[in-house]
Amino acid sequence: MRDSITQLSSYQALASHFEETKSHNMRDMFAQDTNRFSTFSVQFDGLLLDYSKNRINSVTIEKLVALFDECDVHACREKMFSGEKINSTEDRAVQHTALRNLENQNSALTKKQVAILLLIEAFVEKVDRSNITDIVNIGIGGSHLGPLFVCDALQEISKPNLSVHFVANVDAEEINRVLNKLNPENTLFIVTSKSFTTQETLTNAKTARNWLLKSENLKNEDHFVAVTANVENARKFGIAEENIFPMWDEIGGRYSLWSAVGLSIVLSVGMGAFKNLLKGAHAMDEHFINAPTDKNIPVLMALLEVWNQIFLEAQAHVILPYDVRLKLLPAYLQQLVMESNGKSVDREGNVLNVPSSPIVFGDVGTNAQHSFFQLLHQGTHQLSCDFIGVAKPGHDNHVQHDMLLANMIGQTQALMQGQTLEAIGPAKYAEHKVFPGNRVSNTIFLTELNPYSIGLLIAMYEHKTFVHGALLNINSFDQMGVELGKRTANNLLDKIKNNGLVTDEDSSTIGLIDFYKQNK
């Protein structure tokens, strides 16, 4: 049993340090130290983290490292990589990292992964030789967001004769919009659900099956594959056993794109690209294991999250990719971060007395500049930001790429520097043109965007999320809140279907159900 983070001596030292430095301004920090960028930046394998635009100094980092040590995150990390059951509430190991270490002959799960990748490769080759032109991935949560993000990011290298579509929402409008564009004869469905009982996924799968079987001479087993741990349920649905790819208990949904859940990725860009995705993620795993704490990118990002959230009261974290290929990254990270660390108790069930997950949102730059950047610059809320850029564009229009990255770098500088009343001088509405500055951000630069660097980027955020959870002593690998919502919805569905009056719920629920029944 571990003490609350606020009871640790390293935390109390940080709190005292914050009181001593809270009036410091980054404008002055940069003016006084021309080497600030080199001091507070790290490069690894074509990825740069510039964290110099945080309200920190070298003493801050020393004290954050001491917190990391006192929280014994080293041991937590070792337990995860060695396969101990660190997901205590579900009595499971957490082994997504084993899926990308394909050379590890000592891991039973890695051996299974290698075998499954061979089966997937053979299946994909079979699809490539067929008349299939459209893939529809049916899943939700981790079975949807990860593959969707990667497929969209890698569009430029996708197979020209194959389109991949994604359906998640139980709203029939979504699947109807997809099916209306397709020919059943040329369509393959991937149904991804660990339990093969997920309401949204199974409902959409049945809609897809009904659509398919309206066509004469088409068989369910020729147009459906499954990724699931429940082989029996997939068989009952009508999916041939050779078209059922396994999921494992040790792999959580939001960490599953590295597994057979990535089938849609392999179909879209090929096994070579998928293995490069795994290699990039494994390289970040090795960095996370071996790099010193003060040079360890995911660790530094998690420690800064604690500093910014608890002491600077930055309760929201903004993800700002300045590359359209990364436009779905904010949505992917919303699940990764908030489903992992959006908890209110620690591992022992004690109520947390510090914030847990930040509120994560974001959008692609430069669009976001014309949306919510007004709040970032002049609003009363404290937020932290990650700006993400790619040095080499995926096109040859360097004029626009220069403009894009000038905007990205300029925004980080403007947030840091702000604009004082003195700098504005005498002007109408001068007070309205003041920007307080001192707003914190990280900048993450990739040399180029390819499967390998996307693997690096995703694994970096996975490990950051893990470290943040370990610092707060919470279980980052369950999702009790998701389960409660499912149970409540299922209970109300029966009452909505029933024509009788609902009398045994609260007045708001009764009123909403009654309004819906009267107007549907």
Side-chain angles (χ1 to χ4, degrees), residues 31 86 125 129 138 166 341 413 453 465 491:
I86 63 171
E125 289 173 356
R129 294 192 301 269
I138 300 176
F166 290 85
N341 290 340
Q413 185 183 53
S453 64
T465 302
N491 173 54

Side-chain angles (χ1 to χ4, degrees), residues 143-180:
S143 301
H144 168 74
L145 291 165
L148 172 62
F149 162 55
V150 175
C151 285
D152 187 74
L154 296 176
Q155 272 188 43
E156 281 76 10
I157 64 168
S158 63
K159 298 171 186 174
N161 58 343
L162 195 69
S163 298
V164 182
H165 315 269
F166 290 85
V167 172
N169 204 319
V170 76
D171 183 350
E173 190 66 38
E174 182 170 70
I175 191 167
N176 289 343
R177 288 183 177 188
V178 171
L179 297 180
N180 288 341

